[in-house]
Amino acid sequence: MNNLDVLIWVAFPYAAAASFFIGHIIRYRYDQYGWTSRSSQTYENKWLRWGSPLFHYGMLAVIAGHIIGLLIPREWLDFIGIDDHIYHLGATWLGTAAAAITVIGMILLLIRRGAVKRVFKVTTTMDVVMYVFLFATIAFGTLAVVQFQVLGAGYDYRGSVSPWIRSLILMQPNVALMAGVPLAFQLHVITATALFAIWPFTRLIHVLSVPIWYLFRPYVVYRSRDKHLGARKPRPGWERSVRPGQNEWAEYPHKEKV
Amino acid sequence: MRVMAQMSMVMNLDKCIGCHTCSVTCKQTWTNREGVEYVWFNNVETRPGLGYPKRYEDQEQWKGGWVRTKRGRLKLKSGGRLKKLATIFSNPDLPTIDDYYEPWTYDYDMLTKAPQTKAGPVARPKSLITGENMDIKWSGNWDDNLGGSQETAHEDPILAHMSDHVRMEFENTFMFYLPRICEHCLNPSCVSACPSGAMYKREEDGIVLVDQDACRGWRMCVSSCPYKKVYFNHKTNKAEKCTLCYPLIEQGKPTICSETCVGRLRYLGLMLYDADRVLEAASVEDEHELLDAQRSVLLDPFDPEVIATAKAGGMADDWIEAAQASPIYKLIHDYQVALPLHPEYRTMPMVWYIPPLSPVVDIISNTGNDGEEIRNLFAAIDKLRIPVEYLAGLFTAGDVAPIEKSLKKLAAMRSYMRDINLGNPANENIANSVGMSGEQIEAMYRLLAIAKYEDRYVIPKAHVESAQDLEDFACSLNTDGGPGMGGPGETGGLRKTGRRVPGTPVAATVESFHSLKNLTDPSEPGEGRMNLLNWDGKGITNGMFPPPAVAGGTA
């Protein structure tokens, strides 16, 4: 374990995590207006209609696979009857399928971004940076799966990478676990970590806005203008001052709280 | 019963001359920015025509609005909640920019900078999206005054529902203008489709708005609005829509489209409605009954029970009075001449229209007959199926009876008032033939034809009595005992900095006298700048000129 290992496998992930969380908080507090999916569907729909669902659904499957493989300890899966053999088959073939769908979708979207003038024109520098890291992460991940799991004998990342990530989460980083990991996996982890670091400053910010609660709210939303004195919440420091002990609703006799 | 107020509009199509002043002033006020070049919160369509965006009324294509399921429940036509989330990565019903038009500008520089050539220089159209040369093939108002309609009018979704025979004759017989803004529906499908919950209906006045901070650009509102009045800002990637000029409405002033309407055809006022009955009314099975169902949701502001419930719910007295004086209530309920646009979308729209009689009058006059004679008018309304059926396709889900009723009232008003204008005795029979009294006809005439400003717009101010003190509230030191202590009003709208808050009246007090005087007091040390707006025009004040150079200085 040398200093470089500590830098790559301890300092860098923690710095990325800090950037990820603090970045999101800052953006949520100060840049709600810029928080959007940045859809370009109104510009072009023929490529997007195929590329976007393929990429996003593939990505959802990939994320689910990573949660199962990285965050859930082997013993827990054993307990519910998923032994190493079943896991390996599932992870390899379902994972390869998900990777294939994601990669096809991503290629369609990248071609669209380059070839469709309208879409190319609205591509920002940050988009390009993000695409580089996203593409690298997906490419190395796919390479690792194909090289070791599909063609090779299978690499047991659940004995190295997975416990390493959990050691980071539990704040007891174990650098030694990452020492013997094959290069493809290491590069996948490094590019992914970098992607997390820049995440909140890119269009990926929309991932945190998955509107699940739409399923549970009433259809029509009503809002009172009194509460906000305008449509939006006042910015920090600009809230109305209310004298201590004063009823906040006192100025609205017709709207007095009962 | 839950009484809520809705700021509503009625447009009298008989008086619309298609001048587009409403569209232009609206655009200058709200959408003269990047990303919303193609956005028209207000647009004026020539009917028959395709509308804007193209064929927006064809809900089999765009899937806007609601549908009634077999079990009698309402469902978004584009699909339920799960389907909305499942298609969030690519909205299958979203219009692309080409369904509106690609915004463009002209290469004006070329006109002044081109080298001398034999042919004069041209300013070519350049796309505002790609910056490249483009061919202009469509825009927001391409079929204005039936321009090019020989080629496009057959695509009008309303015409498509009518017979082939009608389609043939149409262009020769009938044309009118349809100005459109957001309908601020009682059962808005755009709000219901917003996954982020960023769209909302205001409790106080029913105005439907998009919270720009909460919008995440999922675009479901754009496709779910059957009127296509929610637009996607392609630069900020957020949804934007007609706000019913709420900053003006809150001050008791009409919207900019109403204020600048040359034909004076727009009416603004409150409607009270029973929020608990909206869903039930929007779910009636027969589309032809939707009009009456919506009318039944709108409450009588003179009913003591309604008044009591409204007051119990916290509605202010002046708002109830405004609802009683509302021109909208008169046009929808008393005279029953106004009709909603496309009630079959089941969104309970609240911008209603008085169907145009003028095409009927024109046809009679063109045949050499008296276009103001009541029998001619009634006969024409009965015989001229084409305009009536077309109007029914717009305003009553195809039911011609309410259209005929409305047009006959307008016809009766025309004939009845002609007698009076010619000095003949008023013919009460004309009024009675449409179920009205002569007095009612004259009142309707005053509202529709004279259309005084104060009769057209009855808008109660929003109740934020303390909002004008916001500027003072903003000073966090201004609390009791704080360093900036001293409440608002003391200086009559003068901030502690000594600058006047624009628009606030200054009470004539000793304090305000001195404060005002101080604004341009030459004895005060100047800051090197002055605000010319505060200059009383007398004398030289500090900051007006740079300080004089000191003698013997750096010359």
Side-chain angles (χ1 to χ4, degrees):
Chain A
M1 182 172 77
N2 57 34
N3 288 341
L4 186 66
D5 281 336
V6 174
L7 184 71
I8 295 175
W9 307 119
V10 180
F12 184 40
Y14 278 128
S19 168
F20 182 85
F21 289 111
I22 295 171
H24 273 103
I25 291 169
I26 290 176
R27 232 162 136 201
Y28 191 82
R29 284 197 61 134
Y30 296 104
D31 186 29
Q32 290 266 333
Y33 188 52
W35 193 305
T36 143
S37 56
R38 299 237 349 256
S39 166
S40 53
Q41 195 185 349
T42 51
Y43 288 153
E44 197 281 340
N45 201 15
K46 289 196 176 70
W47 287 84
L48 183 109
R49 185 172 8 182
W50 290 101
S52 178
L54 279 173
F55 172 76
H56 282 93
Y57 279 115
M59 215 52 225
L60 287 178
V62 168
I63 291 169
H66 277 70
I67 290 172
I68 296 171
L70 295 179
L71 300 184
I72 302 177
R74 187 199 310 252
E75 295 76 22
W76 295 12
L77 290 180
D78 272 344
F79 184 75
I80 58 167
I82 301 175
D83 61 26
D84 278 6
H85 182 63
I86 299 176
Y87 174 85
H88 181 74
L89 282 180
T92 305
W93 296 113
L94 291 179
T96 308
I101 294 172
T102 310
V103 168
I104 292 171
M106 184 174 63
I107 289 172
L108 288 179
L109 290 179
L110 284 175
I111 292 174
R112 168 181 185 266
R113 197 151 279 279
V116 179
K117 188 97 187 187
R118 291 173 178 179
V119 183
F120 182 76
K121 279 273 175 183
V122 291
T123 308
T124 64
T125 314
M126 207 55 193
D127 285 346
V128 177
V129 173
M130 190 276 294
Y131 282 128
V132 167
F133 282 101
L134 184 68
F135 188 84
T137 306
I138 292 173
F140 286 131
T142 310
L143 175 73
V145 169
V146 173
Q147 185 186 351
F148 292 94
Q149 314 302 105
V150 180
L151 303 177
Y155 172 70
D156 183 26
Y157 51 84
R158 288 205 295 170
S160 56
V161 182
S162 303
W164 164 74
I165 286 187
R166 292 200 294 273
S167 79
L168 286 176
I169 294 171
L170 298 173
M171 296 290 169
Q172 289 160 340
N174 186 346
V175 185
L177 285 168
M178 286 305 287
V181 174
L183 187 65
F185 282 98
Q186 285 193 340
L187 288 173
H188 176 63
V189 170
I190 291 172
T191 47
T193 311
L195 189 64
F196 279 115
I198 61 168
W199 192 292
F201 313 105
T202 67
R203 61 192 301 149
L204 292 181
I205 194 125
H206 73 274
V207 176
L208 250 69
S209 310
V210 187
I212 296 298
W213 72 284
Y214 174 61
L215 297 174
F216 310 104
R217 69 146 224 254
Y219 264 139
V220 179
V221 177
Y222 291 93
R223 255 203 240 175
S224 169
R225 65 184 291 274
D226 280 358
K227 280 176 198 148
H228 299 325
L229 284 175
R232 68 161 70 162
K233 247 164 59 178
R235 301 232 173 261
W238 287 89
E239 296 97 345
R240 300 176 56 220
S241 49
V242 178
R243 275 195 298 280
Q246 180 201 10
N247 181 358
E248 191 190 345
W249 296 81
E251 283 97 19
Y252 314 106
H254 65 293
K255 199 127 185 143
E256 197 129 25
K257 261 189 195 164
V258 193
Chain B
M1 181 162 65
R2 189 156 51 104
V3 182
M4 291 180 85
Q6 170 75 41
M7 183 50 68
S8 324
M9 188 184 281
V10 166
M11 298 190 215
N12 182 2
L13 297 185
D14 229 355
K15 295 166 85 179
C16 184
I17 57 171
C19 66
H20 302 275
T21 307
C22 46
S23 304
V24 171
T25 50
C26 172
K27 189 148 201 49
Q28 288 289 42
T29 309
W30 291 103
T31 56
N32 57 351
R33 294 166 281 137
E34 248 197 341
V36 284
E37 308 91 347
Y38 77 103
V39 172
W40 296 88
F41 290 167
N42 182 108
N43 72 310
V44 184
E45 293 162 5
T46 300
R47 304 318 291 265
L50 300 197
Y52 183 72
K54 264 179 241 169
R55 293 175 52 78
Y56 70 93
E57 285 154 310
D58 183 2
Q59 302 313 334
E60 295 315 307
Q61 181 184 0
W62 301 115
K63 306 270 193 302
W66 302 88
V67 282
R68 187 178 184 275
T69 63
K70 277 178 191 152
R71 288 184 300 148
R73 292 171 60 102
L74 279 193
K75 199 178 122 187
L76 288 171
K77 194 171 172 73
S78 50
R81 295 166 196 262
L82 278 172
K83 193 186 169 198
K84 279 261 171 296
L85 288 198
T87 54
I88 205 165
F89 304 127
S90 166
N91 182 341
D93 310 313
L94 189 76
T96 62
I97 193 84
D98 300 308
D99 292 306
Y100 302 88
Y101 61 91
E102 186 168 343
W104 75 87
T105 182
Y106 292 93
D107 188 7
Y108 293 111
D109 262 9
M110 188 58 89
L111 298 182
T112 51
K113 290 187 180 163
Q116 191 169 18
T117 51
K118 276 184 189 165
V122 224
R124 294 190 64 173
K126 301 270 183 187
S127 164
L128 279 172
I129 293 178
T130 62
E132 298 188 335
N133 290 331
M134 63 175 276
D135 288 329
I136 303 167
K137 292 188 180 132
W138 194 258
S139 87
N141 201 26
W142 210 242
D143 49 0
D144 198 25
N145 296 336
L146 296 182
S149 284
Q150 273 153 324
E151 287 184 19
T152 57
H154 64 277
E155 291 175 48
D156 178 338
I158 309 289
L159 273 188
H161 278 284
M162 300 167 71
S163 67
D164 284 337
H165 157 73
V166 167
R167 240 180 273 170
M168 302 278 291
E169 279 185 49
F170 210 100
E171 291 157 32
N172 307 324
T173 55
F174 187 37
M175 180 194 99
F176 67 98
Y177 301 102
L178 181 72
R180 295 200 305 125
I181 63 168
C182 165
E183 297 283 338
H184 298 278
C185 306
L186 298 183
N187 185 31
S189 51
C190 56
V191 173
S192 307
C194 173
S196 313
M199 290 191 80
Y200 60 97
K201 194 165 175 61
R202 290 214 304 195
E203 277 173 27
E204 287 80 9
D205 49 19
I207 296 178
V208 175
L209 294 171
V210 186
D211 183 339
Q212 290 292 306
D213 274 356
C215 174
R216 300 287 176 252
W218 300 125
R219 318 173 295 291
M220 292 301 173
C221 52
V222 179
S223 54
S224 291
C225 171
Y227 304 96
K228 289 290 168 286
K229 276 294 173 187
V230 188
Y231 296 86
F232 186 72
N233 181 328
H234 59 91
K235 281 290 188 290
T236 65
N237 301 286
K238 305 239 167 178
E240 292 190 23
K241 66 178 287 299
C242 159
T243 64
L244 205 67
C245 287
Y246 72 87
L248 287 169
I249 292 284
E250 285 173 7
Q251 295 177 55
K253 293 174 186 162
T255 64
I256 203 76
C257 54
S258 310
E259 175 76 53
T260 59
C261 177
V262 175
R264 305 194 297 177
L265 57 95
R266 296 191 188 223
Y267 297 80
L268 277 163
L270 282 185
M271 288 299 281
L272 302 185
Y273 70 100
D274 184 357
D276 288 337
R277 287 204 48 246
V278 168
L279 204 57
E280 177 199 327
S283 315
V284 295
E285 192 171 358
D286 184 1
E287 287 186 346
H288 291 181
E289 279 169 26
L290 279 164
L291 169 64
D292 280 335
Q294 185 167 0
R295 277 179 178 154
S296 77
V297 168
L298 306 173
L299 298 169
D300 177 1
F302 299 97
D303 181 347
E305 194 197 334
V306 171
I307 296 174
T309 319
K311 280 187 179 172
M315 198 176 293
D317 288 351
D318 60 335
W319 275 55
I320 295 172
E321 281 161 24
Q324 291 171 342
S326 167
I328 312 298
Y329 185 73
K330 292 190 182 88
L331 295 170
I332 289 180
H333 178 267
D334 293 353
Y335 309 137
Q336 301 213 347
V337 285
L339 301 165
L341 180 63
H342 289 302
E344 71 271 23
Y345 298 158
R346 297 177 184 274
T347 60
M348 303 261 122
M350 283 312 284
V351 174
W352 288 36
Y353 293 89
I354 300 171
L357 181 69
S358 42
V360 178
V361 178
D362 287 346
I363 292 168
I364 304 174
S365 307
N366 289 344
T367 56
N369 290 307
D370 182 355
E372 293 189 330
E373 218 284 318
I374 190 72
R375 269 167 308 194
N376 287 348
L377 282 167
F378 277 14
I381 292 169
D382 286 335
K383 286 232 178 72
L384 293 172
R385 304 315 299 168
I386 301 162
V388 173
E389 274 176 34
Y390 189 90
L391 291 171
L394 278 180
F395 301 120
T396 55
D399 184 4
V400 292
I403 299 283
E404 287 176 346
K405 229 175 125 187
S406 179
L407 289 182
K408 283 185 176 174
K409 281 182 178 171
L410 298 177
M413 181 176 84
R414 220 180 163 88
S415 294
Y416 182 88
M417 290 312 296
R418 182 175 69 163
D419 281 339
I420 293 177
N421 287 339
L422 294 179
N424 298 332
N427 184 353
E428 193 74 12
N429 285 339
I430 295 179
N432 295 342
S433 67
V434 290
M436 294 172 85
S437 68
E439 212 174 308
Q440 273 181 309
I441 291 259
E442 282 190 54
M444 185 163 88
Y445 168 78
R446 276 195 299 276
L447 187 58
L448 291 183
I450 307 291
K452 290 269 190 200
Y453 190 90
E454 58 272 22
D455 294 335
R456 272 179 289 144
Y457 311 127
V458 180
I459 306 163
K461 284 188 184 179
H463 274 269
V464 276
E465 278 81 356
S466 57
Q468 62 199 357
D469 300 329
L470 260 182
E471 294 273 1
D472 292 289
F473 272 122
C475 177
S476 59
L477 302 178
N478 225 352
T479 51
D480 252 353
M485 193 180 92
E490 176 196 26
T491 52
L494 288 165
R495 278 188 291 195
K496 292 292 168 287
T497 49
R499 274 178 292 144
R500 215 167 87 72
V501 183
T504 53
V506 180
T509 63
V510 178
E511 288 88 344
S512 65
F513 172 74
H514 286 296
S515 306
L516 271 178
K517 187 168 157 266
N518 283 345
L519 292 179
T520 52
D521 188 348
S523 64
E524 287 249 315
E527 293 166 38
R529 320 173 49 163
M530 74 159 298
N531 185 351
L532 270 179
L533 292 175
N534 289 333
W535 184 40
D536 59 4
K538 293 174 202 156
I540 295 167
T541 63
N542 265 340
M544 185 176 267
F545 297 109
V550 183
T554 54

